[in-house]
């Protein structure tokens, strides 16, 4: 279900060790205080003995003021149950930055969804290591900054990028085919808040030209994976994956073209889930609520 | 298109370096000698400059006797164009052996298709390293032999297996979740004639318990790959791949159950293509005609 | 999650008008009486204002005796909240009958899963309007009865079939490509307990030869739909749907072959969900829990 | 394979009654005159006894001048074999007009692909019955014309639209969610040259609000179909179809959002095939070459 932006709602994302009665505790907290639950989904991982929950409720008649909900919830329920939780409000539009290099396919799809009002998000700034996409940014009236990052200047330029993120109060970053490895230092500023997209293959190929490798190997399926960026390269929590069938008729160029379509679809689906506050991360895995 | 078993047909599978006029040469050979082409598919790999072709024609009025077609074709066309080719006849049912261990899902699907007459194949024998599937073989009235292969007796027992294959005039072998590594010696007896099925993941996992690894990693897609067995483990030419979507709700058992369904579907599709003589292998890749 | 048959569990399926606190009420009932919840999924249909829930709990330390749970639940919670509910126990294997005509593909797949222990079900009897599948039934050691139903004898033979269902204490019926229209009288004996499979197309085709119509129309996708049988032909609640891509290369025979594979997959998935008590029906729609 | 725009090539699309030797005839014509075949695909519909072919060759050393190829081919081969054929040249970029109403999702995707150079096409003009999309057209620097078509003025305004198409030398039209029924008169100006996209369901729903109907029916799959427009509403030759899985958790809004994503993907894939001259239409069906 999409977030109903016509209402003022609160969204609570929780995870903690599983035990009896957790769900009842949380729903009672909301019901008792006159909150009308609009959406509830929970998951218990029986193997890891963990409890995950997402609940969204209407604040119209809720007894606890918005700015005190987190405090009350932590005191009354969270702490004694070792809960880690996030609280969001539908009225607070998340602010997103896009990092891009020279390829436009993901960028266009993100901006089209943004411009058409499909997403409850603000995109104040686009960052690139190349000038090529400036024209696309201009078409959508969004600030575009070029930081020509190299090994040597990376520390300095990333510091400037972080300052720019802070100036624009950026909540999360989307790497829309950004062909630059981000430093661990930068990543730790945005834990589980940088979304990346990369191609995936069955079997996997390492190295510089994966589509060429996939062609050589004669694969029948290609894929794309969207994940949060962690300091281990391309090994962060997976958000979304999709595949497409290919055949011997597909030359390297065809694989790349089909990969491009996959990348933009998968990245936009992952961003959508992030904007709707439907992703919980724990133990390098995601729970993605529907 | 399925093979029309009501007609006596010839099937020619060709690959060779590409050059102008190859297709015309082959079709002319058939047309001139009064063969009616029922199916033709060809593929030119522009990157590798290779020509692949599959053609099937009705032998009813064909001027060249069946037993001389290969000879004539080689002399008149094949040799001077450096063609590698296979010639098959629809009347010659391929003979298939199944190797199985303890799991029945692939075995049942293969036998059900065989018994219902879906496939133009003979299955005279099932081989296993365990007695567990004897009852299934009995239900379908097929010989079942147990060879309890271990590291120590592998050479000896594989020699017995090969003798059994020869006795039954086996053309190709299907590993229906056969959990034993086959020796290079055995494999070289059946080049591109042993079909295997294994699970595949995005990203790939190595080691003993891949479904557990996939669960730990929080993958959103699982897959299965069918391929010809070569002496490099699980790296032979890929025939068919399929995937299924999974989520955080799927525990290890669920992944295994979904994987099982994928495995049986993918293996049967690969076997079907092999029986219909629609697979060409070259450079460790397949061309799978439709 | 598959049902854990190693434990003695209770499964409660509930639907009722939505209101605040329903989930807390039910989970409290279980927790208070010392039941350990193993699985919980709920759904609120905001458009229809309906609440759906499936909960499964371990009976090991549950305070209320098995044979009194339904009574207690109805009295304490169900009635005052206008709940319709079903209570099942994992120890009670549902008993399933298969109706089949001349095609074996679905039948084999159902029996293979049953025989391999994949499903928590009993299949004591197979019924057909033709003798053709007797041999398959024999292979799996299951009773096979032929009722050569025609328009004229339908009333009489269906009465015999119902008697046979009662004798075998059949809980639900699976129509595995049973090519006979079942009377309204028969259907009302098994409300939402007869599962059917039929092909589906985009767009839909009416009439006797849908695959021929699909070929003529040049469709690029074919599908299969599994649903509960109601007195309105092929319009009952949908359980599961799948599709396959086709092209101009697929002749009518190829469409039928691909349709056959879809039918068996979709039917088995629907039957699996039914056996696991994961389907709730209301307003001619299903909620299928994962 | 994508068209290699770095070369000057000719593309021939042929269909005719099937007979022996057609393929050899055509390839000989090209080879004899020193044309290097880059791509060849053919299909024989055995049920309808029809031959379809697409061949593309390099014109670099071709003996026949471009402007005489059609004439020579018709005289030497086409007429005596009752061939219907189209001849295209890679250097002639097809000119495309977009018709749109108020929804931007398909429009953005088409324009992003155009602007990024993904397609060998010119898009000089966008037409709408509403002013809403003028801003999108402006972002991409494309002429935008509003024709507020109603029942009463349709004849007159469509005449103006046709004049505009002629002025811009438009080859084909893409209806990117254009919510106006086009007159038969207009359609006959562009036979198999107007591409439409519409949602599709299993089963199909007729009437004004199909997503509401699909929700009520509890469907598990929704789809989109792209087709050429004929005078029979939504019954023209199908080019491409795709589906997405949905569940009881999807409210009407979710179905619409998922449908939107399908529509834009399917429409762009169909447009791509048209631009690459890979679609042959005959008997209200398409052959779509890969």
């Amino acid at each position: 279900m999409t977030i109903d932006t016509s209402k003022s709602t609160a969204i609570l994302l929780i995870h903690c060790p599983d035990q009896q009665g957790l769900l009842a505790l949380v729903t009672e907290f909301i019901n008792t205080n006159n909150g009308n639950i609009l959406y509830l989904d929970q998951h218990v991982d029986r193997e890891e003995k963990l409890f995950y929950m997402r609940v969204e409720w209407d604040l119209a008649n809720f007894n606890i003021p918005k700015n005190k909900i987190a405090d009350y919830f932590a005191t009354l329920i969270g702490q004694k149950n070792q809960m880690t939780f996030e609280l969001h409000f539908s009225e607070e539009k998340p602010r997103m930055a896009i990092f891009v290099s020279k390829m436009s396919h993901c960028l266009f799809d993100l901006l089209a969804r943004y411009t058409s009002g499909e997403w409850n998000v603000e995109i104040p700034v686009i960052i690139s290591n190349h000038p090529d996409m400036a024209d696309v940014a201009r078409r959508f009236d969004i600030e575009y900054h070029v930081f020509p990052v190299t090994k040597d200047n990376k520390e300095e330029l990333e510091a400037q990028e972080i300052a720019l993120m802070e100036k624009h109060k950026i909540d999360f970053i989307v790497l829309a085919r950004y062909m630059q490895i981000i430093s661990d230092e930068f990543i730790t500023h945005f834990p589980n808040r940088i979304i990346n997209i990369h191609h995936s293959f069955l079997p996997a190929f390492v190295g510089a030209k994966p589509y060429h490798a996939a062609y050589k190997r004669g694969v029948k399926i290609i894929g794309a994976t969207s994940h949060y960026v962690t300091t281990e390269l391309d090994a962060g929590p997976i958000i979304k994956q999709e595949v497409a069938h290919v055949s011997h008729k597909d030359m390297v160029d065809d694989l790349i073209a089909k990969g491009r379509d996959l990348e933009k679809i998968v990245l936009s689906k992952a961003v959508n889930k992030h904007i709707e506050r439907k992703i919980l991360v724990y133990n390098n895995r995601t729970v993605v609520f529907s």
Side-chain angles (χ1 to χ4, degrees), chain A residues 44-62:
Chain A
V44 176
D45 184 330
R46 307 283 163 205
E47 307 204 8
E48 310 267 359
K49 301 202 190 313
L50 292 167
F51 175 82
Y52 300 90
M53 179 175 180
R54 183 188 186 277
V55 60
E56 180 173 2
W57 70 97
D58 192 341
L59 291 172
N61 304 307
F62 200 55

Side-chain angles (χ1 to χ4, degrees), chain A residues 87-106:
Chain A
L87 182 67
H88 301 285
F89 298 103
S90 63
E91 287 164 347
E92 294 168 1
K93 271 195 192 185
R95 296 174 67 80
M96 158 179 160
I98 301 175
F99 280 46
V100 71
S101 290
K102 295 180 168 183
M103 280 174 288
S104 66
H105 56 290
C106 288

Side-chain angles (χ1 to χ4, degrees), chain A residues 44-286:
Chain A
V44 176
D45 184 330
R46 307 283 163 205
E47 307 204 8
E48 310 267 359
K49 301 202 190 313
L50 292 167
F51 175 82
Y52 300 90
M53 179 175 180
R54 183 188 186 277
V55 60
E56 180 173 2
W57 70 97
D58 192 341
L59 291 172
N61 304 307
F62 200 55
N63 295 334
I64 309 173
K66 266 175 73 169
N67 62 342
K68 293 193 177 163
I69 297 174
D71 186 32
Y72 278 42
F73 183 77
T75 308
L76 296 174
I77 294 173
Q79 283 154 16
K80 61 186 71 156
N81 293 293
Q82 303 164 62
M83 285 179 177
T84 303
F85 72 91
E86 292 174 44
L87 182 67
H88 301 285
F89 298 103
S90 63
E91 287 164 347
E92 294 168 1
K93 271 195 192 185
R95 296 174 67 80
M96 158 179 160
I98 301 175
F99 280 46
V100 71
S101 290
K102 295 180 168 183
M103 280 174 288
S104 66
H105 56 290
C106 288
L107 180 63
F108 265 124
D109 202 59
L110 295 169
L111 296 181
R113 289 172 194 271
Y114 169 53
T115 302
S116 68
E118 197 175 313
W119 285 344
N120 185 42
V121 75
E122 283 297 332
I123 306 180
V125 63
I126 297 169
I127 280 178
S128 181
N129 51 344
H130 294 287
D132 308 54
M133 292 295 111
D135 178 61
V136 176
R138 186 194 53 72
R139 289 175 196 270
F140 289 87
D141 307 312
I142 299 176
E143 261 186 60
Y144 186 84
H145 296 266
V146 178
F147 293 90
V149 178
T150 63
K151 263 188 202 171
D152 294 334
N153 67 14
K154 184 174 281 192
E155 199 175 332
E156 188 194 331
L157 294 197
E158 283 195 348
Q160 294 175 21
E161 288 171 354
I162 291 171
L164 193 63
M165 298 296 100
E166 283 166 1
K167 183 189 142 198
H168 283 293
K169 299 194 173 73
I170 293 303
D171 294 304
F172 73 107
I173 293 168
V174 175
L175 307 184
R177 302 297 286 133
Y178 182 63
M179 310 305 279
Q180 255 290 332
I181 291 176
I182 293 174
S183 74
D184 290 3
E185 165 66 17
F186 189 102
I187 293 168
T188 53
H189 274 76
F190 298 94
N192 295 329
R193 288 163 184 270
I194 306 175
I195 300 174
N196 189 31
I197 181 74
H198 68 79
H199 37 67
S200 311
F201 299 94
L202 297 163
F205 302 104
V206 258
K209 294 194 151 188
Y211 285 106
H212 287 76
Y215 166 78
K216 282 271 175 203
R217 184 70 178 78
V219 299
K220 305 303 185 194
I221 277 179
I222 61 169
T225 296
S226 180
H227 64 99
Y228 286 118
V229 175
T230 58
T231 54
E232 193 183 342
L233 186 64
D234 287 347
I238 296 171
I239 305 170
K240 184 81 193 169
Q241 300 184 296
E242 291 283 356
V243 300
H245 287 264
V246 297
S247 81
H248 61 270
K249 295 192 181 178
D250 292 293
M251 297 294 103
V252 173
D253 279 355
D254 303 309
L255 298 183
I256 290 171
K258 290 189 174 183
R260 217 161 42 209
D261 274 9
L262 278 176
E263 286 161 8
K264 85 179 189 195
I265 292 164
V266 173
L267 181 60
S268 286
K269 285 186 176 175
V271 170
N272 185 48
K273 286 292 183 186
H274 185 93
I275 291 171
E276 294 193 344
R277 315 292 194 184
K278 292 199 167 163
I279 311 175
L280 249 169
V281 180
Y282 188 67
N283 267 355
N284 205 41
R285 281 190 297 160
T286 61

